[in-house]
Amino acid sequence: MTRRHRKSSATAPAGYFAWEAAGLRWLRAADGASVVEVRDEGEDFLELPWLESAGATPEGAEALGRGLARTHAAGASAFGAPPEGWEGDGWLGPLSEPLPLTVGAWDSWGRFYGEARVLPMARAGRERGTFDATDVDRLEALASRLAGGEHDTDDAPARLHGDLWSGNVMWTADGAVLIDPAAHGGHREGDLAMLALFGCPHLDRVLAAYDEAAPLAAGWRDRVLLHQLHPLLVHAVLFGGSYVRQALAAADRYR
């Protein structure tokens, strides 16, 4: 009998597992990086194949970089677009406490990132007491600058995993497999910056292979922290502590 992994929760928001399933299917349809298959789903569960863990290799990292380039190139209808067939907002964060993730359609990355990523986290942090009024002013100033397009590039909306920290890359004997997405249309640098945030194995090989397959825009290294700001804000809202200082320092760098 084939082993399966059943991901379940009786307390997850209604629609949470359907959101994740939609994202997995959308990413798999790109025929790029390997993505875990949805075997079954219900209101309170998701059934997936069992993935046998193995060590990351340089060759696997290069294959991941090339695969991500193809996934991103499959594109999205707009910045902020949800997976095909999904309606309403999604979620991002741990299964024990997922936070709402705004989706929709924006014609520029900067406006999308400011309005749908920075400002919602600023409001959530204020409501929870994580940020004070001055902190919110700092984040609003960055959102305004983003809306002006200063940090935009010519990149078209990419098909993003959306939560691509190292824990959502499962290394198997056949290479890397992506799990647990918060898939949406965004800037391709976002997934790469997320890989760097929490230490992806052989990251240099991933990035080199990606850049060879789909050259990144000039100055991309200077924008890594900007793309890391949203996950830092999420961690600040959920966990507080040093994440608050890191998130505000990142915002200050670009505002």
Side-chain angles (χ1 to χ4, degrees):
M1 184 181 213
T2 304
R3 294 180 70 187
R4 296 192 178 190
H5 171 66
R6 188 180 180 93
K7 181 176 179 180
S8 63
S9 171
T11 60
Y16 177 89
F17 291 104
W19 154 258
E20 184 171 323
L24 289 170
R25 293 185 176 109
W26 191 53
L27 294 171
R28 282 177 62 86
D31 196 23
S34 181
V35 179
V36 72
E37 180 185 3
V38 177
R39 295 284 178 83
D40 195 10
E41 65 180 282
E43 183 59 35
D44 61 352
F45 77 92
L46 201 59
E47 197 165 273
L48 311 165
W50 181 267
L51 299 177
E52 201 67 51
S53 180
T57 66
E59 295 77 17
E62 291 174 2
L64 173 59
R66 292 189 293 269
L68 280 174
R70 294 193 301 273
T71 299
H72 292 164
S77 59
F79 292 106
E84 186 175 346
W86 181 261
E87 295 184 2
D89 289 338
W91 292 271
L92 173 70
L95 183 56
S96 59
E97 191 181 0
L99 296 177
L101 186 73
T102 303
V103 295
W106 283 260
D107 59 4
S108 73
W109 175 78
R111 188 171 296 280
F112 153 69
Y113 197 61
E115 293 180 0
R117 296 295 177 262
V118 176
L119 292 181
M121 287 298 97
R123 290 192 291 268
R126 187 73 174 107
E127 290 169 1
R128 294 182 181 219
T130 303
F131 302 134
D132 61 24
T134 300
D135 299 332
V136 172
D137 287 345
R138 293 156 72 180
L139 294 169
E140 288 178 342
L142 172 61
S144 178
R145 193 158 190 170
L146 284 163
E150 180 174 343
H151 301 294
D152 283 345
T153 67
D154 292 332
D155 291 277
R159 188 169 304 196
L160 296 190
H161 176 281
D163 191 15
L164 199 58
W165 71 289
S166 58
N168 285 342
V169 180
M170 288 286 295
W171 295 93
T172 73
D174 294 324
V177 180
L178 308 187
I179 63 172
D180 296 354
H184 63 277
H187 199 299
R188 62 192 182 124
E189 293 174 11
D191 271 352
L192 302 180
M194 190 70 168
L195 281 176
L197 186 57
F198 296 112
C200 175
H202 306 294
L203 179 63
D204 57 335
R205 305 289 284 268
V206 175
L207 296 176
Y210 185 105
D211 193 40
E212 182 178 351
L216 292 158
W220 69 268
R221 293 183 187 277
D222 294 330
R223 293 185 294 272
V224 169
L225 186 59
L226 178 59
H227 288 286
Q228 291 174 342
L229 174 60
H230 180 244
L232 286 171
L233 287 169
V234 170
H235 279 71
V237 170
L238 288 173
F239 309 118
S242 63
Y243 290 118
V244 177
R245 295 189 297 276
Q246 291 179 60
L248 292 172
D252 287 344
R253 175 173 170 181
Y254 296 98
R255 72 184 175 95

